Amino acid sequence: MESGGENRKGLWTAEEDRMLLDYIRVHGKGKWNRIAKMSGLKRCGKSCRLRWINYLSPSVKRGDFSEEEEDLIIRLHKLLGNRWSLIAGRVPGRTDNQVKNHWNTHLSKKLGIKKAKIKAGANSLRSLAGEIRSNSEPPSDCNGEVASELIIEDGSHSVIADGSQSVLRFSSTEEETLVDQNYGCSFWFSHEDLNLYTPAYLMEPLDEYGLDFVWDGM
DNA sequence: AAGGGAAGCAACCGCAAGCCA
DNA sequence: GTGGCTTGCGGTTGCTTCCCT
């Protein structure tokens, strides 16, 4: 905390926007802490940077997401997981925050994505993770993407592992692996004790590989 | 019309990586 | 090599708006 003047928080006013825009027009962006001080704004540098990137920058596109954009995001999310900045980088005019919010509020519902759950019996989380990784060979056309997250339980522990983490990523995430046209196949387990809860759009591919999965009715 | 809950979105927070003196 | 500063990222929070009763 600074003495004599705390940084403001909360929504930006039109006046604050104008002050930030005016400063950036003259001096350019970057060195956000300096901008925060020099522009006269009672905002921290981080807040100024975020406001510019997510709202004030002329490259930011507003309004509803088109079907094309949504389709692109779904495919990219399948490929990249929750790496929002990478996804946003390929959706012109959209920021990582926009993409993330849109995914969390619209697309995850649209796709019926929910938490996937793995029960691991007596295995420790670490050994389970190791086993999954070492015993699992993905089919050649499988890009290894999972639900938005997995919960692994071993009786004494419960941990949420993001699908983007390497231990749950079984094959290349190179773009050329995105060859399926229907958000198709998913991951590949050899572990027999696993009960797998997975999104609807992944059910068929999992069944195809003989996995014992249970569809959690919410 | 009013109140309460749900949904949507902007902004914040904590952490990590990169850069430079 | 290291410590401080800046930038960037993803998860989370909380405010506002909408909708239903």
Side-chain angles (χ1 to χ4, degrees), chain A residues 97-113:
Chain A
N97 213 31
Q98 282 178 310
V99 171
K100 178 173 58 183
N101 281 336
H102 193 68
W103 177 269
N104 287 333
T105 56
H106 295 98
L107 299 181
S108 62
K109 286 175 196 164
K110 194 171 168 180
L111 294 172
I113 287 180

Side-chain angles (χ1 to χ4, degrees), chain A residues 136-144 170-172 177 179 184-189 205-206 208-209 211:
Chain A
S136 302
E137 287 300 328
S140 60
D141 62 341
C142 177
N143 67 23
F170 301 118
S171 68
S172 167
T177 64
V179 293
C185 73
S186 204
F187 51 84
W188 180 258
F189 280 2
L206 288 172
E208 189 179 321
Y209 296 116
L211 279 168

